[in-house]
Amino acid sequence: MAPRTLRPRTALLMSLVLALLLGALAILVMFPAAQHLRSFQDGERVSATLHRDGSCMAGNCQVKFEVDGQPVVADLPVGSGGGKSSVGDRMIVRYQADDLQSAAREDDVEGGGAAVLALMSSGAAVFFLVLSVVGVVYGSRQRHQGP
């Protein structure tokens, strides 16, 4: 029994869907997350401890720091690094004085992992788009040459 292979149209459709999904991930999620991290560049700088660890890239981490003697627990935004840190680890964060609910690790204010993931998913989207175009051109030439 011969192994099953994808039909050319199915492979083309899958490549186009992957290009669309990866492009949407980059444009709708990762680029805005990187911009949000960059918005902390001019924020107040303070020493903090990791209060809740988890998947920091998905925005599930919190840090604890003090502002004017008052303890503050703030979320690290989507795209943050620090996933290998443990609860209680010290780090430098930046926060906006008018919004104490969110802070960014100082290492991430250039865009962090979100910027890297945005570039990688954009590149992969372009790759699958080019792969689709090459498949269409190749299939078209095969049909025109005949058997």
Side-chain angles (χ1 to χ4, degrees):
M1 198 165 183
R4 293 181 58 160
T5 59
L6 291 177
R7 294 189 330 196
R9 286 187 182 162
T10 304
L12 174 66
L13 184 63
M14 285 178 54
S15 291
L16 287 173
V17 167
L18 279 171
L20 180 66
L21 290 175
L22 289 166
L25 173 68
I27 292 169
L28 299 175
V29 179
M30 290 296 116
F31 280 123
Q35 285 299 101
H36 181 62
L37 285 167
R38 286 185 190 107
S39 73
F40 288 95
Q41 286 179 336
D42 61 345
E44 302 292 325
R45 189 174 186 262
V46 67
S47 179
T49 58
L50 190 62
H51 181 67
R52 184 183 79 198
D53 63 352
S55 176
C56 295
M57 183 62 91
N60 292 328
C61 291
Q62 291 181 326
V63 291
K64 186 175 184 177
F65 54 92
E66 286 190 9
V67 175
D68 298 329
Q70 299 295 319
V72 174
V73 175
D75 295 323
L76 292 178
V78 172
S80 296
K84 294 183 180 176
S85 300
S86 300
V87 171
D89 285 355
R90 307 279 305 157
M91 61 184 68
I92 303 296
V93 298
R94 291 188 178 261
Y95 69 93
Q96 299 295 340
D98 59 345
D99 179 19
L100 299 178
Q101 301 301 311
S102 184
R105 290 180 342 125
E106 190 167 57
D107 296 341
D108 294 333
V109 296
E110 296 296 324
V116 173
L117 195 55
L119 290 174
M120 288 175 52
S121 57
S122 301
V126 169
F127 171 77
F128 282 108
L129 189 59
V130 168
L131 190 65
S132 300
V133 170
V134 168
V136 167
V137 169
Y138 179 76
S140 175
R141 287 187 177 180
Q142 291 290 51
R143 277 191 296 274
H144 283 66
Q145 286 181 353

